[in-house]
Every structure is written in structure tokens, then in C-alpha cells.
């Protein structure tokens, strides 16, 4: 088959495997995104609340039924699904109804008031993913619409990995290996969750592809991809636009200094990427202030008060830095007990050395995962989703690491040599 056929086959296999879990992937944040999408599609607050709650509670009921079937004490008992669904629905809709009756700040914006206004404001400034969901939930309903949107965005991430690797001249089998790694590592699992991370991963990979195109001579097309990805990221999660723009600008500076030390100019591609990265940082900061997005201090209060369920801290930054230090000590301790993540990060970084300039930009893009985690040092976040962008380093770096094995010539005995004669006999 042609390479593009293999790419589509791998994406299709991944999509079919996701039918194993159509519901139950949601997190507490998912309700905010889905209700936002339903509101954009024209639903009222109560209608959006009912549809979102039915979807989330159906997932909770399904998970409860699966857990009961394999419970060593209760596997022969009746299914708890109906009771779990009823309790979940009554609780969620009851809280929403009380907030809607209160009026005022409780009913502002598009997001249904599943949470308090200050927390809801954080999701109101992330319209990108809800806008992406709108056509899917409108045509296919919430359950299948959210699932299909997740499959498409996760599948697209794998295709982008293939395109990036082929752009930097990685052989087709290894580019397909990168696509498979994207699907089977935690990146694919996180991209399938009904949250902004899947779209954020795809857009970050689009920016990396743009860097690869620019470095291989297609400067205009590559720069346009980087700029478009950063602009879209502002709508999806503006902190990622800030981090990625700053990291790409920093990577461009590193490449330019390295080339200058070796008597070369930075090149058009590096200069263009640096300009776009700096513009993204400045534009993100300016627009966030003009649009009155929640500040960094508000984000710190959200973290330290457990989503505003406790009083604000009097000295948030001092406590944040204390927590930051303790978080990374504990995080490193846990990684040493299960060192898969550090091992694949090291392998990816070593493989990135085979394309030095591109490798620096790859390290920069993956480094945004570390920055995201550092900005929210919460050890209880499920699935390490905050640091998920760091997994792009092994996804793209390991195929580069394996490249010498595929390109290594196989020794063939010369014609007429004793070994060759022995073989022919």
C-alpha cells in the first residue's frame, strides 16, 4: 500500500478501538466545555444543563456497571447503573437550578453554572474547543458528537506526527512508527478525553510541522502554519499560545547563536519563527489584558483554594513557590519508582540530536508540557494530562533515534568470494 493508505489505516484502526469506550471519558471540566458548545449551538441554560448532565451521568453509570461486574463481592448482584444515573442527574441538576434561580453572576456567559462564577470564568475564555464541538453535537447529539470529535482530533494528531517526520526526511516505516506511538502512548488517551488537550496537542504539532517546513526551505508555508497554530491556540487555551510562542522564540535564539558560533547566519527560517514567536507572546499578553482574562494571580488562587472552595490565600505567591518545590520533589520521586517517562524522554532527546536545528524546536514544543505542569503543580490531577505535551518528545524523537537501524546497509558477500560461492552451491 502507499504510505498515505497506511496512515489512514492506522487512524481507522485507532478509531475502531475507541468504540470500546464511547462514554465515561469525561472529567469534571468536560461538563463546562460541552455545555458551552450546546449554548453556542442555540440551547438555553436549562436545556444545555439537561443534555450535558444526561451525557456525563450516563458515563458515570456505565463505569459503575462495569466496575460492579468485576467486583469480587458484588459481581452477581443487580446492575447499579439506573440508581447511579438517577442520583447523579438529580444532584447535578439540583445544583444548577439553585444557581440559575439566584441569577446575577451565576447566569452570566455561555457555560452552564455547574461550578461557581470565578471558576466558570476560566472556561469562558476558552471558546476554541466548544466551537470545534458545535457541528458534532448539533448533527450527532452529545454522546456520539463528542466521541466523534475526540476521535477525529486524536486521529489528526497521529497524522500530523507522520507529516512532521516525513518533512524532516524520516523513512516511511519510522514515520508510521511515530504515528503509532502517538496513539498508544498517553498522548492518544489524553487526546481522546472531551477536553481542550486533544485540540491543543494537534495545534502544537501543527506549529512543529510549520517549523520543520520552514527549516527545510518552505519558509513562507511553514511560518504561516506556525502563526495560524498560535492564533488558534489563543482561542483554545491562551496560556499554551504564550508558552509555545515564547519557547519557539527561545529555540530560534539558541539555533541562531549556535550557527553564529560556527560562522553562519541564522537563516530566514529561524528569523521568521523567532518573529512569529515573539509576536505571539506580545499579542497574547496584550489581548489577555484587553479582554480582561483571569490573571496569573487568579490562577494561583484557583489552585491554592481548590477551585475557590476555600478562602483566598493572603500570600499566594509565597505559598505557590513552596508548593512548586515540594511538587517537583515528589514528582521526581514517583518517576524514579516507575522510570518509563524519564527513559522515553531521554530517548526522544537523544534521537532529536540527529536533526539538530529541528531537534531544538522539538524540545521547545515538548517543554511547554513542563511549563504547563509547573504553572499548576497539583499532584492529584488525573492522568498527568497537564504534562502531556512533553510526550511529543519521544513520539517524534524515538523514530529519529531508530533511523540508523533502518538505514544501516546489510552486508552482502562479494560475487566470486568463497562465502558467495558456498551460498550459491
Amino acid at each position: 500500500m502507499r504510505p498515505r493508505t497506511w496512515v489512514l489505516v492506522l487512524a481507522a484502526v485507532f478509531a475502531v478501538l475507541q468504540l470500546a469506550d464511547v462514554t465515561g471519558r469525561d472529567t469534571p471540566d468536560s461538563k463546562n466545555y460541552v455545555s458551552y458548545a450546546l449554548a453556542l449551538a442555540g440551547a438555553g441554560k436549562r436545556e444545555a444543563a439537561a443534555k450535558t448532565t444526561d451525557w456525563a451521568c450516563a458515563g458515570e453509570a456505565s463505569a459503575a456497571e462495569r466496575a460492579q461486574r468485576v467486583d469480587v463481592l458484588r459481581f452477581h448482584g443487580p446492575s447499579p447503573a439506573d440508581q447511579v444515573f438517577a442520583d447523579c442527574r438529580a444532584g447535578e441538576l439540583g445544583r444548577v437550578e439553585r444557581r440559575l434561580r439566584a441569577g446575577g453572576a451565576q447566569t452570566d456567559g455561555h457555560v452552564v453554572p455547574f461550578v461557581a462564577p470565578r471558576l466558570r470564568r476560566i472556561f469562558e475564555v476558552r471558546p476554541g474547543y466548544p466551537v470545534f464541538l458545535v457541528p458534532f453535537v448539533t448533527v450527532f447529539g452529545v454522546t456520539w458528537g463528542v466521541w466523534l470529535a475526540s476521535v477525529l482530533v486524536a486521529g489528526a494528531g497521529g497524522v500530523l506526527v507522520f507529516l512532521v517526520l516525513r518533512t524532516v526526511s524520516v523513512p516511511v516505516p519510522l514515520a508510521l512508527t511515530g504515528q503509532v506511538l502517538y496513539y498508544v502512548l498517553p498522548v492518544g488517551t489524553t487526546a481522546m478525553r472531551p477536553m481542550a488537550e486533544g485540540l491543543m496537542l494537534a495545534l502544537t504539532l501543527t506549529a512543529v510541522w510549520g517549523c520543520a517546513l520552514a527549516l527545510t526551505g518552505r519558509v513562507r508555508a511553514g511560518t504561516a502554519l506556525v502563526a495560524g497554530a498560535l492564533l488558534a491556540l489563543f482561542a483554545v487555551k491562551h496560556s499554551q499560545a504564550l508558552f509555545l510562542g515564547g519557547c519557539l522564540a527561545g529555540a530560534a535564539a539558541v539555533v541562531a547563536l549556535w550557527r553564529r558560533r560556527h560562522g553562519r547566519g541564522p537563516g530566514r527560517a529561524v528569523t521568521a519563527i523567532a518573529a512569529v514567536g515573539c509576536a505571539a507572546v506580545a499579542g497574547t499578553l496584550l489581548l489577555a489584558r484587553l479582554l480582561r482574562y483571569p490573571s496569573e494571580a487568579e490562577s494561583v488562587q484557583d489552585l491554592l483554594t481548590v477551585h475557590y472552595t476555600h478562602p483566598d490565600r493572603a500570600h499566594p505567591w509565597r505559598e505557590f513557590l513552596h508548593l512548586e518545590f515540594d511538587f517537583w520533589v515528589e514528582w521526581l520521586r514517583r518517576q524514579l519508582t516507575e522510570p518509563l517517562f524519564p527513559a522515553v524522554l531521554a530517548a526522544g532527546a537523544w534521537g532529536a540530536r540527529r536533526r539538530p536545528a529541528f531537534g531544538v524546536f522539538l524540545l521547545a514544543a515538548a517543554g511547554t508540557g513542563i511549563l504547563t505542569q509547573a504553572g499548576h503543580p497539583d499532584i492529584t490531577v488525573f492522568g498527568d494530562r497537564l504534562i502531556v505535551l512533553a510526550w511529543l518528545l519521544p513520539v517524534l524523537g524515538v523514530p529519529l533515534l531508530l533511523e540508523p537501524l533502518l538505514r544501516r546497509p546489510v552486508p552482502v558477500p562479494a560475487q566470486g568470494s568463497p562465502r558467495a560461492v558456498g551460498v550459491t552451491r
Side-chain angles (χ1 to χ4, degrees):
M1 291 189 291
R2 293 180 178 181
R4 62 188 177 196
T5 306
W6 277 112
V7 170
L8 295 176
V9 167
L10 290 176
V13 170
F14 173 77
V16 170
L17 294 177
Q18 304 316 304
L19 288 169
D21 201 1
V22 176
T23 60
R25 298 178 192 262
D26 58 294
T27 70
D29 293 348
S30 299
K31 294 193 294 291
N32 299 300
Y33 289 115
V34 173
S35 66
Y36 197 159
L38 290 170
L40 291 175
K45 285 285 197 305
R46 286 179 172 80
E47 180 186 356
K51 289 182 177 180
T52 303
T53 299
D54 286 349
W55 166 74
C57 292
E60 189 172 324
S62 177
E65 183 175 28
R66 291 195 301 270
Q68 185 265 343
R69 286 177 180 174
V70 292
D71 188 292
V72 294
L73 297 177
R74 301 184 299 113
F75 65 91
H76 48 70
S79 171
D82 291 342
Q83 187 61 47
V84 169
F85 179 85
D87 292 344
C88 172
R89 192 175 194 276
E92 292 289 349
L93 291 182
R95 284 188 289 273
V96 168
E97 187 60 34
R98 285 192 296 273
R99 289 190 171 113
L100 289 176
R101 285 200 300 266
Q106 297 284 1
T107 57
D108 291 344
H110 295 89
V111 178
V112 169
F114 290 108
V115 293
R118 288 176 71 184
L119 179 57
R120 199 168 68 250
R121 174 64 178 160
I122 294 175
F123 296 97
E124 290 283 355
V125 301
R126 299 176 185 175
Y129 180 60
V131 169
F132 173 74
L133 282 179
V134 167
F136 296 97
V137 297
T138 302
V139 176
F140 300 100
V142 176
T143 299
W144 287 103
V146 170
W147 179 87
L148 183 58
S150 300
V151 164
L152 288 178
V153 78
V159 174
L160 284 165
V161 168
F162 176 86
L163 293 172
V164 171
L165 291 171
R166 289 298 295 146
T167 300
V168 295
S169 302
V170 172
V172 169
L174 291 178
L176 293 171
T177 300
Q179 183 182 0
V180 172
L181 287 174
Y182 186 88
Y183 293 150
V184 302
L185 289 176
V187 199
T189 302
T190 302
M192 276 298 300
R193 291 198 187 108
M195 298 184 67
E197 274 73 17
L199 198 53
M200 195 168 67
L201 281 161
L203 290 171
T204 301
L205 280 168
T206 301
V208 174
W209 185 27
C211 293
L213 287 170
L215 292 170
T216 53
R218 287 161 284 185
V219 178
R220 184 173 298 178
T223 306
L225 270 182
V226 175
L230 288 169
L231 184 61
L233 276 170
F234 180 84
V236 174
K237 192 175 183 182
H238 69 280
S239 61
Q240 177 61 12
L242 178 66
F243 292 156
L244 185 58
C247 285
L248 291 182
V254 169
V255 173
L257 288 173
W258 184 84
R259 288 179 174 179
R260 192 175 297 279
R261 287 188 61 184
H262 290 77
R264 300 165 54 193
R268 287 178 57 230
V270 173
T271 303
I273 295 171
V276 171
C278 290
V281 171
T284 298
L285 292 174
L286 179 60
L287 280 175
R289 292 294 182 268
L290 289 175
L291 297 173
R292 298 182 179 180
Y293 280 8
S295 64
E296 297 80 8
E298 189 72 5
S299 178
V300 171
Q301 290 288 4
D302 170 49
L303 169 70
L304 296 177
T305 61
V306 192
H307 304 312
Y308 309 112
T309 57
H310 294 76
D312 282 9
R313 301 297 179 91
H315 306 286
W317 288 107
R318 186 171 64 193
E319 295 189 39
F320 175 80
L321 293 176
H322 186 168
L323 176 63
E324 188 80 55
F325 177 80
D326 290 345
F327 170 85
W328 288 110
V329 170
E330 175 61 16
W331 186 86
L332 288 171
R333 186 196 66 79
R334 295 188 184 192
Q335 298 307 311
L336 292 176
T337 61
E338 297 180 13
L340 173 63
F341 186 40
V344 295
L345 281 181
W350 193 256
R353 295 171 65 252
R354 293 188 54 80
R355 303 289 192 282
F358 170 74
V360 174
F361 286 103
L362 172 58
L363 283 167
T368 60
I370 305 296
L371 290 176
T372 301
Q373 183 68 81
H376 200 88
D378 186 352
I379 205 72
T380 65
V381 172
F382 174 73
D384 295 331
R385 62 178 178 83
L386 293 174
I387 206 170
V388 69
L389 284 154
W391 282 95
L392 295 182
L393 182 57
V395 165
L396 292 165
V398 168
L400 288 168
L401 181 66
L402 298 175
E403 191 176 20
L405 299 178
L406 194 64
R407 294 187 185 276
R408 183 177 298 169
V410 179
V412 178
Q415 293 297 319
S417 68
R419 287 179 62 194
V421 172
V423 170
T424 55
R425 288 179 182 176

